[in-house]
Amino acid sequence: MEYIHRITDERLDKLLRLSGAVVVTGLKWCGKTTSARQFAKSEVCLDNSDEEKDLVIRANAMPSDVLRGEAPLLIDEWQNAPRLWDAVRREVDNRQKRGQFILTGSSTPLEDAKRNEIFHSGFGRIANLRMHTMSSFETGFSYGKVSLSELFNDGKRYISEHADRTLEDTALALCKGGWPQCIDYNDEDALEIPYMLLDELINNDVQRRLEGEGLRKNHNEVRRLLRSYSRNISTEASRSLIRRDMSQNEDILFSDETLNKYLSLLESMYIIDDLEAWSPYVRSKVRVQGAPTRQFAEPSLAIASLGLSPSSLMKDFRTFGFLFESFVIKDLRVYCSAMNASLYHYRDSKGLEADAVMELRDQRWAMFEVRLFDPKRVDEGARNLLKIREKMDYEHMKEPSFMMVITAGKYARLREDGVYEVPVSLLAP
């Protein structure tokens, strides 16, 4: 299959020009290794398979032995030999050259004993790049006619664009997900992939990590946890609420300690990826809330966990709406990587919220609400954004570059109230 250009490729290229090494992290099968291979001249694979076990043992015992390939040397699944981190740092210092190593990893060392093997942060030597599954723009679901970067430069420009994507098309795209290997599959086969990958993660990767970290090994508990997380996606559900939800109709009650260990493991494997809260300067005394919203790194895994399909989403717009919000958040996170931006959500004690806030390095920012298709809900989202804008303290921060309601509709426009209404199928970084 011909390589599909990824939005993060330019960032990886730049980081290799600036740093001695780059570590690329993200969910398994999101395309890290394939992307890194476009830049690497040699490769070492440490994926813990039966074929590579001897090499993993050698890398743990004598990490310098595996660093002799032509630069840039790709070290795939480096976390299986944690001592490589320090070895790479030392080798970068010795060579005094940039672009020497690319480390890819679908998990981070979790156990204290393994973390302690990484003696140095890598600051100044090893740059970090987070990668996600493919965005709507990368898969071709989005036509890319509305550029977020251009709106940051001119947030009052008139736009009037049209996309022919239907609500059914959006449900299909959500269920298929952004898995690179699915691009050439027919719809029926592509819809099966998230189920297969979820089973692989639970039955193999997670179980292996549980065993390695000394945690109790029960794939049914992991499946229950992921199902509960999926039911609470795009909400600020507390961990105690998730624990109670898991225990419904079950004889086994999770303890807080067990739940926290499981969640830490899933976070370390980039399976769950919560969206942190934004803390702006506000004029009023309204308290800004700091709870994250629950998100999966790839929403199609949540759909597979719940046993849903495009047709079932079309019969349950409430669930569709929460999952669609997660779909949009994943896209915005990918676009942030091209814009040197960070993504948050906003909510205050009065109930006003913005589903996403994108903040650039120079403190320019934009707010987003996500609404599936109902015009009344779109209007409500726009009103929320306008109310939030009025609360900000512009003596200490810039005014928003623009505000936008992202929908699953067909038309992009600048509303009379100054808020953009744009389908996700028209967005681009």
Side-chain angles (χ1 to χ4, degrees), residues 277-296:
W278 188 51
S279 299
Y281 291 99
V282 293
R283 287 199 200 105
S284 68
K285 295 181 180 180
V286 173
R287 185 168 57 88
V288 176
Q289 308 232 355
T293 55
R294 306 303 179 186
Q295 300 292 350
F296 276 67

Side-chain angles (χ1 to χ4, degrees), residues 118-401:
I118 303 174
F119 301 109
H120 192 280
S121 68
F123 179 76
R125 285 92 161 177
I126 305 176
N128 291 278
L129 176 62
R130 178 66 186 272
M131 195 167 180
H132 297 82
T133 52
M134 300 176 78
S135 65
S136 297
F137 183 61
E138 291 166 298
T139 62
F141 179 74
S142 171
Y143 296 104
K145 294 181 179 179
V146 179
S147 165
L148 294 172
S149 297
E150 291 178 0
L151 290 181
F152 267 108
N153 293 328
D154 180 7
K156 296 182 180 179
R157 67 167 56 195
Y158 174 79
I159 61 171
S160 179
E161 299 286 354
H162 170 262
D164 59 6
R165 304 298 190 195
T166 65
L167 199 58
E168 290 81 1
D169 292 334
T170 302
L172 177 62
L174 211 171
C175 291
K176 287 166 60 175
W179 307 103
Q181 60 266 53
C182 292
I183 291 296
D184 292 335
Y185 287 9
N186 62 46
D187 291 343
E188 183 179 356
D189 290 342
L191 287 171
E192 189 66 26
I193 292 299
Y195 284 87
M196 294 173 58
L197 297 184
L198 181 66
D199 286 341
E200 174 76 12
L201 282 170
I202 293 174
N203 296 329
N204 294 316
D205 296 81
V206 172
Q207 295 303 305
R208 188 162 54 241
R209 285 296 302 277
L210 287 172
E211 185 175 2
E213 307 297 344
L215 300 173
R216 70 190 194 193
K217 187 178 177 182
N218 189 326
H219 63 85
N220 288 326
E221 289 182 349
V222 176
R223 197 175 291 275
R224 283 167 52 203
L225 173 55
L226 290 175
R227 191 177 299 122
S228 177
Y229 227 81
S230 302
R231 283 194 290 265
N232 290 284
I233 200 167
S234 300
T235 74
E236 297 175 39
S238 66
R239 291 192 173 194
S240 59
L241 188 151
I242 292 171
R243 183 170 64 86
R244 291 195 302 272
D245 180 71
M246 289 177 63
S247 302
Q248 289 182 2
N249 303 318
E250 298 284 350
D251 294 331
I252 300 175
L253 184 66
F254 261 49
S255 69
D256 287 333
E257 181 182 5
T258 300
L259 176 66
N260 290 336
K261 286 181 177 179
Y262 271 64
L263 290 175
S264 294
L265 183 137
L266 294 174
E267 289 169 358
S268 77
M269 297 179 69
Y270 307 104
I271 296 172
I272 58 176
D273 191 10
D274 292 345
L275 187 63
E276 297 299 324
W278 188 51
S279 299
Y281 291 99
V282 293
R283 287 199 200 105
S284 68
K285 295 181 180 180
V286 173
R287 185 168 57 88
V288 176
Q289 308 232 355
T293 55
R294 306 303 179 186
Q295 300 292 350
F296 276 67
E298 168 48 61
S300 66
L301 290 177
I303 288 173
S305 182
L306 294 171
L308 300 176
S309 66
S311 60
S312 60
L313 288 181
M314 293 299 297
K315 297 174 184 176
D316 182 358
F317 285 132
R318 184 175 185 275
T319 299
F320 193 173
F322 285 118
L323 290 163
F324 176 66
E325 180 179 328
S326 187
F327 179 72
V328 171
I329 293 300
K330 197 280 295 285
D331 275 5
L332 292 178
R333 278 176 155 151
V334 176
Y335 302 155
C336 278
S337 67
M339 302 165 63
N340 291 322
S342 299
L343 197 70
Y344 307 95
H345 81 95
Y346 172 89
R347 184 177 179 86
D348 62 35
S349 57
K350 297 296 185 181
L352 282 178
E353 65 176 314
D355 294 323
V357 178
M358 186 179 289
E359 187 173 41
L360 305 186
R361 282 181 178 174
D362 60 7
Q363 276 68 63
R364 283 181 294 164
W365 58 284
M367 284 190 294
F368 305 85
E369 277 279 77
V370 181
R371 295 291 186 268
L372 196 56
F373 69 95
D374 185 346
K376 291 183 179 179
R377 295 275 290 149
V378 173
D379 290 342
E380 176 191 58
R383 287 195 299 271
N384 282 349
L385 296 176
L386 291 167
K387 289 177 182 177
I388 294 171
R389 184 183 65 177
E390 295 305 312
K391 289 180 176 241
M392 299 298 114
D393 182 356
Y394 297 117
E395 291 184 2
H396 295 90
M397 61 188 293
K398 298 179 180 180
E399 294 195 21
S401 297

Side-chain angles (χ1 to χ4, degrees), residues 21-92:
V22 180
V23 57
V24 185
T25 58
L27 178 65
K28 193 172 183 180
W29 306 296
C30 73
K32 302 181 299 297
T33 304
T34 303
S35 182
R37 282 173 177 157
Q38 311 311 306
F39 300 88
K41 293 185 178 178
S42 59
E43 179 179 345
V44 173
C45 182
L46 303 174
D47 65 2
N48 247 340
S49 63
D50 290 338
E51 296 82 0
E52 306 297 343
K53 279 185 177 178
D54 288 343
L55 186 56
V56 172
I57 293 172
R58 183 174 137 212
N60 276 307
M62 294 290 293
S64 59
D65 281 358
V66 301
L67 303 182
R68 297 174 180 173
E70 184 180 3
L73 168 65
L74 166 60
I75 307 173
D76 191 30
E77 300 296 350
W78 74 270
Q79 76 282 348
N80 290 323
R83 292 183 63 194
L84 278 171
W85 184 270
D86 251 9
V88 165
R89 179 188 61 81
R90 286 193 298 270
E91 193 63 23
V92 167

Side-chain angles (χ1 to χ4, degrees), residues 10 12-20 22 98-99:
E10 282 80 6
L12 177 54
D13 184 44
K14 184 173 185 177
L15 291 176
L16 285 169
R17 297 196 307 269
L18 296 174
S19 304
V22 180
R98 299 180 181 89

